Amino acid sequence: MSIEKMEFLTIVGVMKDLDKSLAKCVESECFHMADASKEVSAGNDEFVRIDDENPYKELLKRIVELDTGENFKFHEVNTDDISAMPLEDIDSSFSELECQLKNKNIEIYELSSKIKECKQAMLQMKHLKGMNIDLERLLSCTHIKVRFGRLPCESYQKMSYYDNKTFIFMPYDDDGNYKWGFYFAPIDSIKETDSIFKSLYFERIWLPDFITGTPEEEYSKLSKKNEELEKQKNAVIEYRNSMISEKGELLNKYFCRIKYLYDLFELRRNVTVYNNKFYMAGFVPRKRIQEFKKYFECIESVSLVIKPAGEGNIEKTPVRLKNNSFSKPFSMFVEMYGLPSYNGFNPTMLVAVTYTLLFGIMFGDLGQGLIISLVGYFLYRKKGNLLGAILQRVGLSSAFFGLIYGSVFGFEHALDPLYKFIGFKHKPLEIMDNTMFILLGAIVIGVGIILISIIINIFIGFKHKNYSEALFGNNGIAGLVLFSSLLAGVAVMMTGKGNLFTAPYIICLIVIPLIIMFFREPLGCIVLRKKFKLESGIGDFFASNFFEVFEFILGYATNTLSFVRIGGFIFSHAGMMSVVMLLSESVAKGASPLVIVIGNIFVMGMEGLIVGIQVLRLEFYEVFSRFYDGDGQPFEPVKINYDKNID
Amino acid sequence: MKASKNATVAKIRAVYGKRLKENDYYELSSKKKVSEAAEYLKRNTHYSAALSNIDTSVIHRGFLESLLNKAYYDQYEKLCRFQHLNEEPFYNFLLKRFEIRELLKAILYLNNDSKDVYIESMHAYLLKKAGFDLIELAKASDFKQLLNVIRHTPYYNIIKNIETDKNGTIPYTKCEVMLRTYYMKWLIQTAKSEFGGKSLTALLDQIHVQTDIINIINAYRMKKYFNADAQFLKENMLPFYGRLGRDKQYELFDSVSPEEFLRTLTKTSYGRHMENLAENMESEQFERELVKLKCSMARRALMFSENAAVSLYSLMYLLEVELNNIINIVESIRYNKSKSYMESIIVVQ
C-alpha cells in the first residue's frame, strides 16, 4: 500500500534498430517514456531530436476521413497477416477501395441535394395550397417577373414604406416568423425590386423547372418525386453498406496497421540521436524490469542503462499506486484530487478505511446497506465501474452500523428479536435517545482523524527533511502539541474532573507552541542552517504571522466542529425514514408497502448521494489538506491508441 | 406601498448568469463563416430561442444582427413585464434611448440623402413600441416633415428651434448633444423622483460614469481626427461632469494633442484604472478599457444591489456590451479578420 518503485532507463542502440526498439517498448506495456533530449542530451548541442514529418499521416488521414456510414466503427484487430505488406501496396489497395466508396458517397450527396431541393419546393407548394393559380402561366409571364420565397415578419412591417414602388408582395402564409409569399414586378424594375427585397432579407426559393400546374397538383407530383429520390438514395446507401460489410474488415486492418506505424513514429519525438545512435529514456516498474530486459535480448545493438528512479532523472518520476484489493477502488478518489509525488505518501488505505467507516456511521441501515452493496456489486461486475466496487464496501459498512442502530429499511424494531436472542435487552444504540453521545462521538472521530493526519504530515516532513513543516508548522509537532493540549484541557473541564488550564500548562503546552508557530520560518532556517531573510519589513512579518496563527487556531476549531455533520446525518437518516413510515401509515393499507418501497428508494438515492459527497468533502478538506499535495505525474506506459482522431 | 421586486432581481441575475463566457467568444472567433457563428449561437447560447426558427446555413449577416438586436430588446421587455415594471416611468429608459437613436439615425440619413438606407437599418421591432411613427419618419424628406412626425413627443420641443443651413442640412452634432442631454436629464430626474437611498446613489453613479465615458471618448475622437479645440469641445459635449468633475473635464479639453489628452487622463480616476494609457495605447484599445471599467462597475452593481432598477440598468448595459462583441466578431468573420484581431476588440465579462 505504497507507491510502486520505478527504475529509470536509458536505451541506446543504432538507428536501424530504432523502430524495432520502439515496438518492443509498446509491446512490453510497462514503459513510461520520457523526453530523452532533457534526460540524456541536456546542454549538448550535438544530440539531435527527430522532428521529421510523420510519413504515415497522409494515408491515415485519408483512411479516417473516408465516409463509411454510421454502422462502421474502427476497432483494434490483429494485423500480423499484413505486417509484412509494404506501405505502397497498402496505399494502392486502399486507394481502390477509397475510389469505390467515394463514388457511392458522391451519388448519395447528389441525391441528398436533389431531395433537399424537392423538399424546399414542396414546402413552398404547401404554403401555396388553396391559391387557385396556374403556376405555369404565372411563371411564363413575359413582362412581369415573379419571385417565390419567405420574408421575415419584421421586414414585412416595413412594406408600407414602399407604397409608391412598382411591385406587389403577396403573402399567402404566415408561420409566426416568416411571411411566405411571392412578389412580382415589371421586368424593367425587377432589379431594383430584387435589391429592395434582398435588403429586407427575403429568402428566395427556386422552384424547379418542371413546375407547371396548380399548387395542389404540383405538391403531389413533388411528393412522388421525393419518394422516388429517397428510394434511390436508400438503395445507394444499402449498396455502400454492403460494400463496407464485405470490405470493412480489410479497411479496419489497414487502419490498425497504419495507426500502429503512425503512433510508433510519433514516439520518435522523444528520442534523441547522436552519431547514428539513438537514445531513449523512460521509467519501468522495478518488479517488471527483468521482463522488460528480455524484450531487448533479441536486438543486439541495443543496450539498457538502469538506475533507480529519482537519482539523476530530470523529469518527474511517474507514480503508480500500489494498493490491496480492499483499498484499490478508493484510488479513484485519490486520483481525483491528484496523485502523490513519487516520494510522497499513498493515502488510499487511509481514505478506504475512513470513507467506509464514516459512510457506514452516517448511513446506518441493514437493509439499505445490503441493497447498496448489491447494486455496487452488479455495477462493478457488469460495467467495471470502480464506483460500484466502492458502493460494495460502503454498503456493507452501512449494513454493519444498521445492525448496531437496529434499523432495517426504516423499521426501527425489526431486529429486536435478534438482540433478545443474543442476550441484549434492547438494541445497542437508540439514536433518538442518545443525541449528545452521538454528537460528541462524531467530534471524537473527527479529532482522531485530524490527529492521524497531523502525525502523517510530521512523518512526511521528516522523510523529506522538511523540518520546518514537521517541527514548527500548524500540522507539525508544535501544532500537534497545541491541538491535543487544548482538546485535553477542554475534555477534562467538560467531564468535571478538574481543570488542566493551570499557568505552567498554558505556558508550556499552549503559549510556547503558539510562539514556535509564529516564528516557524526563522526557526526552520536555523534548523536547516540557512540565513533567514525578511521579504518585506518587520511590520509585515508580524502582521502576517499574527493573522496566520490566528487562522490556524480558528482552523482547529472549525475543522473539528466540521465533523459534527457525521452525527447530523445519523439523525437526518433516522428522521427521513420516520417520515417515510408516517406517510405509509397515513395512506390506505394497500398503498402502504408501495410508500415504504418508494420512500426507501428515495432515501437511498438522495441521502446516499449526499452522504457520499459529504464524506468525500471531509476527506479532501479535513484530511488531505493537512499533508497531501497531489502533484504527482501518473505512470502512463506507451501504447497505440486505436482512435480515429489524429493529433 | 410598492411590492418587492426581489423576484425580478433574481431573474435578472439568472439572465446574467447565462451570458457568453470567454470560451464562447473563443469558439465564436474560431468560426470561418457567418453561418457557423450563427449556428454556434443557436446551439450553445441564450440566443438559441431567438434563432430557433432560422436556417443558419443561409443567414445574412445583417439579418443575424437584427435578430440579435431584437432578442436584446425582447429580453428587456420580458423583464419589465415580469412584475409590471413598465408601468413605472424609469423603466422606459431603454425605449427612450432607442427612440432617440432612431431619430438621430433618421437625421443622419436625411442629411446624406439616403433615407432608403435608413429604412433598411431601422429596427422594425420598434415600430409598434416607439412614441412616433417610424415609417413616417423614414418617409420624411426634410426637417419640417421630420418635426411633424415627432410633434406630439417631448423630442419636438428639444429640436424644433434648430435651424437648417441653406442646403437644408440639419446640424447633426447639435441635435445629438441636445437629445442626449435631454435623455440624461430625464434619466437623472426620473431616478431622483422614483428612487432614494443606496439605489439612487448606485443609479446616479452609473449614469455619471456613462456621461463621463461618452464625453471622454467623443472628446478624444474629436481631438484625434478633427483637431478640435477646447471651446468647440465645451460647446459640443454633454453638460455633465460626473465623477470627473468640471475642472478635470476642462483640463482634458484643453489638451493640445491627443497624446496630451491621454496623459491628462492618466491623472483622473478613470486613467488610474488603465495601465500604459499614455505610452502605447491605440484609440480602440483605450475606448475598450473605458468600456471594461463601466462593465466592472455594472457587474458590481448587479451583484450587490437588491433594487430592480439598478439591476436592470446594469444588466442592459452588460448585455449591450455582449451584443456589440458578437456583432464585432460576426463582422470580423465576414471580412476575414484574424482571431487575434477579434480578441483585441471584444470585452469579456
Side-chain angles (χ1 to χ4, degrees), chain A residues 328-337 348 385-387 390:
Chain A
K328 207 168 187 175
F330 292 91
S331 64
M332 189 177 93
F333 291 152
V334 176
E335 283 164 22
M336 208 185 274
Y337 193 91
T348 317
N385 193 327
L386 278 183
L387 198 63
I390 293 174

Side-chain angles (χ1 to χ4, degrees), chain A residues 64-191:
Chain A
V64 296
E65 281 176 0
L66 190 63
D67 185 0
T68 47
E70 285 168 7
N71 300 328
F72 180 80
K73 294 267 181 295
F74 289 116
H75 55 276
E76 187 183 348
V77 285
N78 191 319
T79 56
D80 286 350
D81 51 337
I82 60 161
S83 60
M85 200 170 166
L87 184 66
E88 293 75 28
D89 291 357
I90 295 179
D91 195 341
S92 64
S93 169
F94 168 71
S95 297
E96 204 178 303
L97 199 62
E98 185 188 29
C99 184
Q100 289 170 4
L101 275 171
K102 266 193 173 170
N103 284 341
K104 288 294 146 200
N105 286 337
I106 291 169
E107 264 185 66
I108 294 168
Y109 175 77
E110 282 171 354
L111 284 164
S112 300
S113 303
K114 280 183 188 168
I115 290 168
K116 193 181 170 191
E117 192 183 283
C118 191
K119 278 188 172 158
Q120 274 204 336
M122 274 169 72
L123 197 66
Q124 191 71 5
M125 291 303 120
K126 197 175 153 192
H127 289 286
L128 269 171
K129 270 182 181 179
M131 277 194 89
N132 196 18
I133 48 167
D134 187 340
L135 289 169
E136 193 181 18
R137 281 185 63 199
L138 193 64
L139 293 167
S140 61
C141 290
T142 45
H143 298 291
I144 284 175
K145 286 284 170 196
V146 185
R147 311 281 195 240
F148 287 90
R150 57 181 196 171
L151 184 71
C153 293
E154 289 272 311
S155 302
Y156 182 69
Q157 293 179 49
K158 295 181 184 175
M159 291 310 287
S160 59
Y161 176 81
Y162 300 102
D163 284 347
N164 57 349
K165 297 282 177 190
T166 54
F167 66 78
I168 291 174
F169 177 71
M170 295 281 294
Y172 43 71
D173 206 356
D174 183 344
D175 65 7
N177 295 295
Y178 288 94
K179 294 272 181 197
W180 292 77
F182 60 88
Y183 63 83
F184 53 91
I187 200 156
D188 301 337
S189 62
I190 192 68
K191 269 192 178 170

Side-chain angles (χ1 to χ4, degrees), chain A residues 154 157-158 161-162 177 201, chain B residues 53 62 70 116 119 122 125:
Chain A
E154 289 272 311
Q157 293 179 49
K158 295 181 184 175
Y161 176 81
Y162 300 102
N177 295 295
Y201 313 116
Chain B
N53 292 308
K70 185 175 180 297
D116 283 353
I119 189 78
M122 188 186 83
Y125 61 85

Side-chain angles (χ1 to χ4, degrees), chain A residues 249-266:
Chain A
E249 203 49 43
L250 187 64
L251 182 66
N252 190 47
K253 270 194 177 168
Y254 288 159
F255 164 76
C256 290
R257 178 67 189 152
I258 299 300
K259 188 74 189 0
Y260 174 81
L261 294 169
Y262 174 86
D263 279 7
L264 216 55
F265 196 89
E266 282 301 300

Side-chain angles (χ1 to χ4, degrees), chain B residues 10-22 24-25 40-41 44-49 75 78-79 302-303 315 318-319 322 326 349:
Chain B
K11 210 171 164 66
I12 287 170
R13 286 183 190 162
V15 170
Y16 180 64
K18 289 179 190 164
R19 71 193 178 279
L20 264 65
K21 313 283 178 352
E22 198 171 353
D24 292 309
Y25 290 121
Y40 181 83
L41 290 168
N44 306 290
T45 68
H46 63 98
Y47 295 100
S48 57
Q75 182 66 266
K78 214 162 107 183
L79 289 167
L302 186 63
M303 290 301 147
L315 176 81
L318 293 166
L319 287 184
E322 178 184 281
I326 298 172
Q349 297 167 37

